[in-house]
Amino acid sequence: MSSSYEIFSTIQRQRVSDGQIVPILSDCADYKRLLILVWPQLGDFDSLEYAWWLEKEAALWQNAGITIRAIGIGDRNSGLKFAEYTKFRQDWLFVDPKAELHNLLGLYRGLSLKLPGFSPGQNAWLNLIFMCAGVGSPGTLAEVLRGYLGDRKAPQLIAEEETIQARPLPPFRGSLFNLAGGQGFQRPFELATLRLRNMSQVLGNWSTYVPDSSYLTQRGGTFLFDSQGNLLYGHRDRGILGFAENMSYPLAFLRD
């Protein structure tokens, strides 16, 4: 049994579905494989994008009999808004307002520069800006560029008939991306458009998604266990937009 599993097996947090403080492994007794996602802020690019992939590839983990639990930074209102937007199940989602679980697991806190006279929230904003520019956040700029330039190693993300609403852009059909390079792979601007949609959602509901900005830079991690609690796969995020070892297909590890 791994040390990370021992931490998860003893931790209680607020469950979004009913607001109760319960063990995060409640109702997980008979799982075949257990996927635990420790997300940063629920209003973070990484959390929203990860949940989008889980919804898109639901057949993959459902057919494999994988049980999922997720813990993100925020409060219950953050969790309810997140679940409404991403369709992630409320009873699988827990909240950790002060990132205490992240600290127990030794996950990357992000850049932590501190300027005199700045509040913790103001310092977090400053550090977040630097991280978005790639400082203390390896791979972030390359991943941003991949969202604009496309990726022939990645699957197509938006169906031809799907209508996309990503403010401030007007609604448009997914087939429009064919003009940028074809179909059957991640086209130029396709991923960037999904990220714009997420950004619009969060900025329009900022105080709900991020009730405390002190933890803006905190990163998350992915932990996949077998039925005995042995770690089959682990990924500790090193920076913004680095929530997977293979960002072209973040759930590739579930196929192994």
Side-chain angles (χ1 to χ4, degrees), residues 110-126:
L111 199 63
S112 55
L113 301 175
K114 295 182 180 180
L115 291 185
F118 276 41
S119 69
Q122 289 171 326
N123 275 313
W125 267 109
L126 176 67

Side-chain angles (χ1 to χ4, degrees), residues 44-234:
D44 191 284
F45 275 126
D46 294 26
S47 306
L48 294 164
E49 199 165 312
Y50 212 136
W52 181 88
W53 274 104
L54 289 170
E55 174 68 15
K56 175 179 172 60
E57 297 294 309
L60 173 64
W61 51 265
Q62 288 173 351
N63 292 339
I66 294 173
T67 296
I68 299 177
R69 293 294 181 270
I71 309 94
I73 302 172
D75 58 20
R76 189 180 178 219
N77 287 332
S78 309
L80 289 170
K81 178 62 71 173
F82 180 91
E84 176 188 14
Y85 176 64
T86 65
K87 299 182 177 60
F88 191 84
R89 283 183 52 164
Q90 294 180 12
D91 56 331
W92 294 357
L93 181 61
F94 295 76
V95 288
D96 189 342
K98 298 187 180 298
E100 293 171 334
L101 176 58
H102 303 66
N103 186 46
L104 282 174
L105 293 166
L107 297 175
Y108 181 40
R109 295 184 180 182
L111 199 63
S112 55
L113 301 175
K114 295 182 180 180
L115 291 185
F118 276 41
S119 69
Q122 289 171 326
N123 275 313
W125 267 109
L126 176 67
N127 286 301
L128 181 67
I129 292 171
F130 280 127
M131 289 181 70
C132 288
V135 180
S137 186
T140 296
L141 289 181
E143 181 57 25
V144 170
L145 286 174
R146 190 179 72 87
Y148 287 101
L149 299 177
D151 182 357
R152 288 188 172 272
K153 296 179 181 178
Q156 181 172 321
L157 305 180
I158 300 173
E160 309 293 303
E161 68 281 1
E162 184 177 350
T163 298
I164 302 300
Q165 295 183 318
R167 296 179 181 177
L169 300 176
F172 62 92
R173 297 286 295 275
S175 56
L176 183 64
F177 289 105
N178 293 342
L179 300 177
Q183 55 185 322
F185 62 94
Q186 181 191 308
R187 286 78 58 85
F189 303 105
E190 194 175 12
L191 180 55
T193 300
L194 293 178
R195 289 171 175 168
L196 176 63
R197 183 170 65 182
N198 289 342
M199 183 173 67
S200 176
Q201 165 71 10
V202 172
L203 292 180
N205 300 278
W206 180 259
S207 61
T208 301
Y209 276 108
V210 186
D212 185 349
S213 60
S214 301
Y215 308 99
L216 286 174
T217 60
Q218 176 67 59
R219 298 296 92 200
T222 296
F223 303 84
L224 179 66
F225 300 99
D226 67 13
S227 60
Q228 304 302 312
N230 299 307
L231 185 66
L232 299 175
Y233 172 86

